[in-house]
Amino acid sequence: MSYSDAIGYLYGLQKHGIKLGLDKTERILSVIGDPHRRLRAVHVAGTNGKGSTAAMTASILRAYGFKVGLFTSPHLVSFTERMTIDGRKISEAEVVELTGEIRSALRHAPAPLPDPTFFEFVTAMAFLHFTRNSVDWAVMEVGMGGRLDATNVLTPAVSVITKIGMDHKEFLGTTLVEIAREKAGIIKPGIPVVTAPQEPEAEAVIAGAARHASAPLFTCGRDFSGALRSSSLTGITFDYRESLHGITGLHTPLAGEHQLVNACLAVKASMIALLETGQAPRPLPLDPLKKGLAATEWRGRLEWIEGAPPILPPILIDGAHNADAARALARFIQGALSDREIVLVMGVMADKDIPALLTPLLPLAAEIVFTAPDYGRAAAPSQLAAYALELGYASATAPSVREAIELAKRSAAARKSGLVLITGSFYTIGEAKEALGETAVLGTLRESL
């Protein structure tokens, strides 16, 4: 089997759609030796910030000398982004080997198994990859929801729930309470839970689930907190505080004030993971924590591409794919880029709350270009332009992300302080990164998680 054959098979599983539930994942894992049961893990759920939090947590644990696997989704350009060990992406040869091995195991299972979904298969692949490589820690990001997500077969050392908002309503529920119940489904009996500040109804759901599971609950803003020192295009600097101690002068290169809570979650989760499992001495040495946080890499979130031929003018990309993320992006622009003339390139999925996505961002743009990534659920550029016109903003459209970027670059270059901002769906971000020079194998097909 070649790498293209393996990727073709994996993407072909998308025809089975998204089917939440753990039974099939558990059966798949059972025929490959239950690798997840041999992993020490941190499990991260939430609506916004879970990828950033997972990346910072993995970087901190790595800085303490541990071998760390990180599983995230979706990928932006290459499938191999989904699984890294100590920052190294899974190789194409490893993808081929694991795909073939799991396919063979499923074909020869003692009892017939239904066809797996893409995410079920890839989650099993990640567990097997991390176990085979003897990672000390696996940081696992939930794909969607939590309770019925394929990753929730884990019994982690600590569970993390980032900010919960309204997203994926067709799968998770139409109210914040319903969505919070799904996210809180990762809480396990006796396992510590670290959570971001939540809306009162979501906070009540998480607190109730923690009490029911006798799981210690640590809430940012109550049990620990962060005080922002500075925020710029190069990241944030902050102080971390708990009741008995504090850590001053922490820095993460992930930009945006909204990363303060995510960074605090990563610090607290890492402390619990290391101390409660006896993996680090008490008191915890702080220098590795600082170094790990400062070394975090996480692409597609306020990722700055300096202006240089042929990319001139400068470009900022950010996967603001729901209303909360769009508001966070707008706050960052108002704080750090108020002197720039923004040429906005935007492509989103048709099933999103489009007016809520557009409302924070359109007033900040000098020009607007709507486009659509090459994916069936993408909203038509003309549909986005119609929404914008209802809100009082004229716009241009382009049939592809590449063409939209070229149009925006010309417009921004003609302005004294022009900046191209590309945002919306992660599909849009992935295609933008390809247009700006990154290469994928077999295109950029990604699932909706």
Side-chain angles (χ1 to χ4, degrees):
M1 182 190 301
S2 68
Y3 179 66
S4 60
D5 291 334
I7 292 298
Y9 168 76
L10 293 172
Y11 288 160
L13 295 176
Q14 293 182 334
K15 67 186 178 186
H16 302 302
I18 297 170
K19 298 175 182 176
L20 299 178
L22 302 183
D23 179 67
K24 202 193 314 176
T25 302
E26 289 172 338
R27 293 174 66 188
I28 293 167
L29 291 168
S30 71
V31 301
I32 60 173
D34 287 324
H36 62 299
R37 299 191 189 281
R38 301 193 295 278
L39 290 174
R40 184 184 292 117
V42 177
H43 199 196
V44 185
T47 303
N48 289 305
K50 64 181 186 291
S52 300
T53 301
M56 285 186 274
T57 302
S59 189
I60 292 170
L61 294 174
R62 182 182 174 189
Y64 278 95
F66 295 102
K67 189 175 186 180
V68 181
L70 175 62
F71 177 63
T72 58
S73 60
H75 63 270
L76 297 179
V77 177
S78 171
F79 175 85
T80 58
E81 299 166 26
R82 290 172 175 264
M83 303 165 212
T84 65
I85 296 177
D86 287 348
R88 180 187 67 83
K89 292 183 287 189
I90 186 172
S91 69
E92 294 181 1
E94 288 168 320
V95 171
V96 172
E97 180 182 356
L98 290 169
T99 301
E101 180 177 344
I102 296 172
R103 285 182 71 182
S104 177
L106 295 181
R107 283 196 301 266
H108 295 93
L113 281 170
D115 289 333
T117 67
F118 174 86
F119 193 72
E120 289 167 343
F121 193 102
V122 173
T123 300
M125 182 187 293
F127 286 139
L128 190 55
H129 180 56
F130 293 156
T131 301
R132 288 276 171 82
N133 284 275
S134 302
V135 300
D136 300 303
W137 285 97
V139 180
M140 304 292 295
E141 180 193 359
V142 167
M144 182 187 294
R147 182 176 66 93
L148 299 176
D149 185 79
T151 63
N152 202 31
V153 295
L154 277 173
T155 300
V158 58
S159 304
V160 183
I161 303 176
T162 65
K163 180 68 174 176
I164 296 174
M166 301 296 292
D167 204 5
H168 296 303
K169 292 185 286 187
E170 68 274 29
F171 295 102
L172 304 181
T174 58
T175 69
L176 198 58
V177 167
E178 291 174 333
I179 293 173
R181 285 175 183 152
E182 295 302 313
K183 307 289 185 183
I186 71 166
I187 296 174
K188 304 293 194 306
I191 302 299
V193 185
V194 178
T195 180
Q198 307 287 354
E199 295 298 325
E201 56 267 48
E203 182 179 354
V205 169
I206 294 170
R211 282 195 303 271
H212 181 74
S214 298
L217 178 62
F218 303 91
T219 301
C220 187
R222 184 189 67 197
D223 303 296
F224 62 97
S225 62
L228 190 69
R229 284 191 172 192
S230 64
S231 175
S232 70
L233 292 172
T234 60
I236 61 169
T237 300
F238 66 101
D239 298 333
Y240 174 88
R241 296 171 182 165
E242 289 191 20
S243 57
L244 299 179
H245 68 275
I247 310 171
T248 60
L250 291 170
H251 174 77
T252 177
L254 277 61
E257 293 185 11
H258 57 282
Q259 293 292 0
L260 175 62
V261 169
N262 297 332
C264 288
L265 295 177
V267 170
K268 183 61 176 177
S270 299
M271 286 181 169
I272 292 173
L274 294 170
L275 294 175
E276 296 304 316
T277 60
Q279 298 296 301
R282 294 177 184 267
L284 186 70
L286 298 182
D287 190 52
L289 190 151
K290 292 183 176 182
K291 289 181 178 178
L293 198 59
T296 304
E297 295 181 3
W298 192 233
R299 304 184 317 148
R301 284 76 170 175
L302 288 175
E303 184 178 349
W304 182 260
I305 301 174
E306 291 290 347
I311 296 176
L312 193 74
I315 296 173
L316 185 69
I317 61 175
D318 185 74
H321 63 291
N322 57 41
D324 285 344
R327 286 190 287 268
L329 175 57
R331 288 193 296 270
F332 177 78
I333 293 170
Q334 290 168 317
L337 297 170
S338 59
D339 60 334
R340 305 305 294 256
E341 295 180 278
I342 305 293
V343 180
L344 177 67
V345 174
M346 196 168 188
V348 302
M349 295 295 102
D351 56 358
K352 298 292 183 177
D353 185 347
I354 294 175
L357 271 166
L358 301 185
T359 299
L361 296 172
L362 299 190
L364 307 179
E367 292 185 53
I368 303 162
V369 183
F370 289 117
T371 187
D374 185 17
Y375 188 71
R377 290 196 299 112
S382 58
Q383 179 188 8
L384 299 177
Y387 276 114
L389 197 58
E390 289 180 6
L391 295 170
Y393 299 93
S395 61
T397 61
S400 71
V401 173
R402 184 178 297 274
E403 291 171 274
I405 292 172
E406 290 305 313
L407 175 58
K409 284 165 61 177
R410 290 193 297 270
S411 298
R415 295 175 176 275
K416 184 178 180 180
S417 58
L419 168 69
V420 176
L421 171 63
I422 307 170
T423 190
S425 166
F426 284 117
Y427 300 92
T428 301
I429 298 305
E431 290 188 22
K433 292 181 76 68
E434 279 195 276
L436 296 170
E438 290 199 26
T439 302
V441 176
L442 297 180
T444 57
L445 185 62
R446 293 164 292 274
E447 99 291 0
S448 61
L449 298 182

